[in-house]
Amino acid sequence: ILVSLLLVIVCAYLGYIVHAVLVYSLSAKIFVGMNPVKFFKGAFAAMIFAFTSTSSAATLPVSKECAAELGAEDDIASFVLPLGSTINMDGTAIYQCVATVFLASCANIHLTIGQMIIVVVTATLASIGTAGVSGAGMIMLAMVLETLGIPVSYIGLIVAVDRIFDMGRTCLNVTGDISCAVCVTKWEGRKK
């Protein structure tokens, strides 16, 4: 089972990395005209703090500094970053999808395409209301499992490695918040 857990962690981190590169760096490039390398260098301090603290809420002061360094206006960052730490939980949604598919296979439940779509929709909706504190994604995972009839007791298979998942998903969530603050600043600048 340890090899299976390692594969699930690798799968989740691949999802986190692909999402960060394709969505956040391309958003910075397309909407702001910022080089993706510059974006990630500017957001690096917040990403590392989020990775180690596993709390979007605790990372807010560092996120605000990084967003300001990347050109986000103070009043926009002060609104977007706290809002994002509550509702912008892409990393949590990715985690819940990966964990649900893994736990379904552990329970010997074969998911259809329709059920996988339900997983994606439910995980996305559940992640919107997830608190920006360490371990909150695990609690919302129970709701996703219940939707598909997967026994919630299977969460025990991944609870020991949840911290490893949480580090990556929080880092992704914070990166998205910073990207959004920079993009909104650019859009608001066009209106003036």
Side-chain angles (χ1 to χ4, degrees), residues 143-168:
M143 183 178 84
V144 178
L145 294 177
E146 282 288 326
T147 303
L148 295 172
I150 300 168
V152 177
S153 60
Y154 277 86
I155 287 179
L157 294 172
I158 61 170
V159 74
V161 294
D162 182 61
R163 177 72 178 199
I164 298 169
F165 284 114
D166 203 0
M167 293 163 74

Side-chain angles (χ1 to χ4, degrees), residues 43-177:
F44 187 72
M47 292 168 68
I48 291 297
F49 193 90
F51 188 81
T52 56
S53 72
T54 66
S55 173
S56 300
T59 309
L60 280 173
V62 182
S63 296
K64 193 172 177 195
E65 289 174 13
C66 290
E69 182 181 310
L70 290 169
E73 290 182 13
D74 187 53
D75 57 337
I76 292 174
S78 295
F79 177 76
V80 170
L81 294 174
L83 182 64
S85 75
T86 305
I87 64 170
N88 181 31
M89 298 289 185
D90 298 351
T92 304
I94 291 168
Y95 157 75
Q96 289 174 352
C97 291
V98 170
T100 300
V101 171
F102 172 70
L103 295 175
S105 69
C106 289
N108 210 14
I109 297 172
H110 302 287
L111 300 177
T112 65
I113 296 295
Q115 288 174 313
M116 287 188 192
I117 291 171
I118 290 171
V119 168
V120 170
V121 170
T122 307
T124 302
L125 294 174
S127 69
I128 290 171
T130 304
V133 296
S134 183
M138 177 69 73
I139 295 165
M140 299 307 284
L141 177 61
M143 183 178 84
V144 178
L145 294 177
E146 282 288 326
T147 303
L148 295 172
I150 300 168
V152 177
S153 60
Y154 277 86
I155 287 179
L157 294 172
I158 61 170
V159 74
V161 294
D162 182 61
R163 177 72 178 199
I164 298 169
F165 284 114
D166 203 0
M167 293 163 74
R169 69 183 180 236
T170 305
C171 181
L172 180 65
N173 295 340
V174 166
T175 306
D177 299 342

